[in-house]
Amino acid sequence: MPVLTITQAEHVVAAALERANTSPENAARVARALVAAEADGLKGHGLSRVPTYAAQAKAGKVDGRATPTATRPRPGVLAVDAAHGFAYPALAIVADELPEIARAQGVAAAAIRRSHHCGAAGHPVEALAQAGLVALLFANTPAAIAPWGGSVPVFGTNPIAFACPMPAGRAPIVVDLSLSKVARGNILAAKQKGEPIPEGWALDANGNPTTDAEAALKGTMLPLGDAKGTALALMVELLAAGITGANYAAEASSFLDAEGPPPGTGQLILALDPVALGGEASLMRVSALAAMIEGQDGARLPGMRRLALREKARAEGLTVADATMAAIEAV
């Protein structure tokens, strides 16, 4: 299996996307996002996505040459039209412009519509936390979860992410979770490897439990926390799509194939200035809670494993499965 440096991996992914009718600037942004997810051990949002992204760009399901635009309908609001392109260029606008708005207002919101798969949801909020802001992201995805008691998918796996800066130069606290028991990307990765999935992740199209990844992708995901998970998924649908003008999960085409129109999903990002809310000492309060957690044997802050894998990938490179590498090179 080949071992690539982070830079080499980004070049390989960007070149594949450029061959698939994606502009060099967009290809570079997407490549950075996918390689960063791979480095963090989030393989369902990493290099396994390249062949699907490329197929969608070739088919026009995602516009690889789209240029997102942003407006300011209110002083504290950034409205971003992703123009049916990849989500990452739209998220880059948010990372560039939202911090200044949040510092001026104390709180700011960015609404992204006509968007696409946003990948590792923790990365955009981590970037805002590195700029000194507390951040939340809500994203809806194509239908994969039925309402509790129902059988037809209405909600996506709808990730929620949160990041909070830490004092003394420490990496931010980052929480990133989907509202299915696992991210759907994990099932996609299992399918590509020809591997089974654990019991309790998904149901097949007939509503029966399955360990077959392909059958799971044709069926429904089981929600995190049962009925509570579907209530949270409803909340995310309303935040990420209902109030942003994006497609609901049940209206969106799949992220996993090149068929149909653009998915047109949405993201909502909130940024809070902790100094405006709690004064100069606010981050010390964050540090105090972190110490209560880390002071217990066996306990750790969320994201520590991800950071360790990131540093390992930077030092040793990324080991890429032969099949994954072949699929990328075949684009």
Side-chain angles (χ1 to χ4, degrees):
M1 292 189 290
V3 178
L4 304 178
T5 67
I6 298 296
T7 300
Q8 288 171 335
E10 289 176 354
H11 287 165
V12 167
V13 173
L17 291 169
E18 286 188 49
R19 294 194 297 271
N21 197 27
T22 299
S23 70
E25 181 180 3
N26 287 346
R29 287 202 182 278
V30 175
R32 283 195 293 271
L34 296 184
V35 171
E38 188 80 14
D40 282 6
L42 306 172
K43 295 184 179 295
H45 296 309
L47 301 186
S48 65
R49 292 275 177 172
V50 177
T52 307
Y53 276 18
Q56 292 183 16
K58 285 180 178 179
K61 184 172 182 175
V62 61
D63 184 351
R65 300 186 178 278
T67 300
T69 57
T71 59
R72 291 279 298 279
R74 297 288 190 278
V77 176
L78 187 68
V80 182
D81 180 358
H84 291 313
F86 290 108
Y88 308 108
L91 289 166
I93 291 178
V94 174
D96 289 343
E97 299 189 21
L98 205 62
E100 181 180 350
I101 301 171
R103 293 189 191 103
Q105 301 283 132
V107 58
I112 304 177
R113 64 186 181 89
R114 297 207 300 169
S115 193
H116 193 261
H117 177 247
C118 73
H123 287 167
V125 291
E126 182 180 2
L128 291 170
Q130 288 169 339
L133 303 171
V134 176
L136 299 97
L137 179 147
F138 307 92
N140 81 319
T141 65
I145 297 176
W148 194 249
S151 59
V152 178
V154 171
F155 309 126
T157 55
N158 291 8
I160 297 173
F162 165 86
C164 184
M166 290 272 281
R170 290 193 59 182
I173 296 171
V174 178
V175 177
D176 177 357
L177 54 89
S178 68
L179 297 182
S180 53
K181 288 191 175 178
V182 297
R184 208 167 191 217
N186 292 342
I187 296 180
L188 175 63
K191 177 189 172 184
Q192 291 174 337
K193 294 176 183 177
E195 297 176 351
I197 60 172
E199 292 183 4
W201 278 16
L203 306 176
D204 65 19
N206 296 317
N208 299 314
T210 184
T211 59
D212 184 296
E214 186 168 0
L217 290 172
K218 294 177 181 177
T220 59
M221 303 290 292
L222 287 169
L224 179 72
D226 300 328
K228 294 179 181 179
T230 55
L232 288 172
L234 168 63
M235 178 189 77
V236 176
E237 286 291 335
L238 294 172
L239 288 172
I243 65 173
T244 66
N247 282 342
Y248 284 126
E251 299 169 331
S253 61
S254 176
F255 287 159
L256 304 178
D257 60 46
E259 300 172 7
T265 52
Q267 293 94 32
L268 178 71
I269 301 97
L270 305 178
L272 313 173
D273 183 348
V275 175
L277 297 176
E280 295 292 339
S282 58
L283 291 187
M284 296 309 298
R285 295 292 294 154
V286 174
S287 184
L289 180 57
M292 295 178 199
I293 297 167
E294 294 179 318
Q296 299 187 35
D297 289 341
R300 60 180 175 82
L301 294 172
M304 293 300 104
R305 176 180 174 274
R306 169 183 52 83
L307 292 175
L309 289 172
R310 183 183 298 179
E311 290 306 314
K312 185 175 186 290
R314 287 173 176 168
E316 302 176 12
L318 294 170
T319 300
V320 184
D322 291 333
T324 301
M325 195 68 185
I328 294 172
E329 291 175 340
V331 170

